[in-house]
Amino acid sequence: MIYSCGQLEVASIEIVNLFDPSDDAYSLPDTELIEGPTDGVTLDSSSSTITWRHSDPNYHYDPTHEVDYAERIYYRYRLNTATWSPWYNGINLMERQLGFWGFDTLSGLHVLQFDYLEDINYQLEIMSKYPTNIQEDNWPDISFSVDVYEGTELLISPAQVFADSGGVFFVNAKLIDVTDFMGMHLEVTYDNSFMQLQNYYLESDSTDFLLQSEGQLINFVSNDPQNGHFQLDLGLAGGSVTGISGTGNVVRLVFEHIGEIGQRSITISSESSVRDVYNNSVVQHIFPGVVSIW
């Protein structure tokens, strides 16, 4: 018995690749900020959440799409630094679980959380690129400021530190808007399974601040890296000595990351104090810093 059949028709299959410039629906990398500070704004909060995605809806998350373009686009950012973060896409972020930077699979948004922002000016930039290494040319670049507190502050600065795994980074213990400063007791604690204090430098980047007075600087340091504790007692001594006024760094602490990725705080103990020429305690606010490891 012989069977015969007619001509077999094969339906044409349209292959869509939005990362291919030859695709009709292709558009260049272009980041759209959804939530967060706008250019020129002054925040009245020390925390801020920034979210973003591609500006072209074709690249947004859509459960009906065979390919999730939103999770495959790479991004990097920088905040008040010349150093960019690593490139991460949504897939990378879901694997790494950084904590401060994540990818929302339900919305296709990147979510970045900043805490412990200082009362200073900031510049935030976010850049995208495709898996084909085509990079964004005109990425978002916004300037904003934070103004939350009044009075003398003792804090870890920069309050937001970003570093590579296994890398070396530094923070300063900083005084803001102090008047007639004569001495301080400083206690800093940190997670020594996450970071190790390698060195410290009194007056680093702050000589002009600490040497305003003609008095002699006297300091006593107790450094206990095994328990994640650093203590500094600092005073001005001399005859007719005037106090120090203004804003400046007191001591620089240099750390090396040794643990897992993620975030940890560097905390100034509530036992810390700053005193003026009349031996009055003048600090009104004490703030920690946070170290984020990529």
Side-chain angles (χ1 to χ4, degrees):
M1 182 178 294
I2 299 175
Y3 296 92
S4 66
C5 60
Q7 184 176 0
L8 179 64
E9 293 186 5
V10 179
S12 62
I13 300 175
E14 181 181 0
I15 299 176
V16 177
N17 181 3
L18 296 183
F19 297 136
D20 183 352
S22 65
D23 193 283
D24 291 340
Y26 173 86
S27 64
L28 290 169
D30 187 50
T31 302
E32 176 187 22
L33 298 183
I34 304 299
E35 179 186 1
T38 56
D39 195 51
V41 74
T42 298
L43 301 181
D44 59 1
S45 171
S46 58
S47 298
S48 183
T49 301
I50 294 90
T51 64
W52 68 85
R53 64 184 176 188
H54 198 295
S55 65
D56 186 340
N58 285 326
Y59 293 81
H60 295 176
Y61 170 71
D62 186 333
T64 65
H65 288 174
E66 184 175 349
V67 175
D68 185 354
Y69 291 98
E71 72 176 12
R72 300 190 181 194
I73 300 173
Y74 288 85
Y75 292 93
R76 64 179 182 176
Y77 73 92
R78 59 184 177 185
L79 179 71
N80 277 19
T81 177
T83 304
W84 288 94
S85 74
W87 289 105
Y88 285 142
N89 63 17
I91 298 172
N92 300 147
L93 292 172
M94 287 185 286
E95 292 173 348
R96 296 183 71 85
Q97 295 293 310
L98 295 177
F100 58 95
W101 181 7
F103 178 75
D104 186 340
T105 57
L106 297 179
S107 65
L109 294 177
H110 281 251
V111 182
L112 182 63
Q113 178 67 35
F114 292 132
D115 295 310
Y116 308 124
L117 293 172
E118 299 176 53
D119 283 4
I120 58 174
N121 297 323
Y122 289 93
Q123 181 180 11
L124 172 66
E125 299 172 75
I126 300 173
M127 181 193 294
S128 64
K129 75 171 182 177
Y130 292 155
T132 54
N133 280 325
I134 298 174
Q135 293 187 18
E136 187 172 6
D137 289 330
N138 297 301
W139 57 90
D141 181 352
I142 62 171
S143 297
F144 64 96
S145 60
V146 175
D147 187 7
V148 182
Y149 301 100
E150 294 183 358
T152 301
E153 302 173 41
L154 174 61
L155 69 161
I156 296 297
S157 176
Q160 289 274 347
V161 177
F162 303 95
D164 294 326
S165 179
V168 175
F169 59 91
F170 71 86
V171 298
N172 299 303
K174 182 177 183 179
L175 283 169
I176 295 180
D177 292 338
V178 68
T179 301
D180 288 335
F181 162 65
M182 286 293 290
M184 73 183 305
H185 172 73
L186 173 70
E187 292 189 33
V188 176
T189 59
Y190 54 92
D191 182 349
N192 67 338
S193 68
F194 185 81
M195 64 189 101
Q196 279 287 313
L197 182 62
Q198 299 296 307
N199 216 331
Y200 59 89
Y201 301 96
L202 188 64
E203 305 173 26
S204 179
D205 283 354
S206 58
T207 302
D208 291 342
F209 174 67
L210 286 181
L211 298 185
Q212 289 181 42
S213 172
E214 296 180 357
Q216 180 183 359
L217 284 172
I218 299 175
N219 67 87
F220 301 94
V221 172
S222 174
N223 182 21
D224 183 8
Q226 297 303 315
N227 291 300
H229 184 267
F230 175 86
Q231 179 175 311
L232 167 67
D233 289 283
L234 174 69
L236 287 170
S240 178
V241 177
T242 58
I244 295 172
S245 298
T247 295
N249 299 323
V250 176
V251 61
R252 171 166 292 188
L253 305 175
V254 180
F255 292 92
E256 180 182 10
H257 172 248
I258 60 171
E260 60 187 3
I261 61 173
Q263 280 187 322
R264 295 291 190 280
S265 295
I266 300 176
T267 303
I268 297 177
S269 166
S270 60
E271 300 298 317
S272 301
S273 63
V274 176
R275 298 196 173 273
D276 65 10
V277 293
Y278 304 106
N279 202 33
N280 296 317
S281 178
V282 296
V283 166
Q284 295 168 274
H285 310 285
I286 296 178
F287 300 112
V290 61
V291 179
S292 303
I293 301 297
W294 291 312

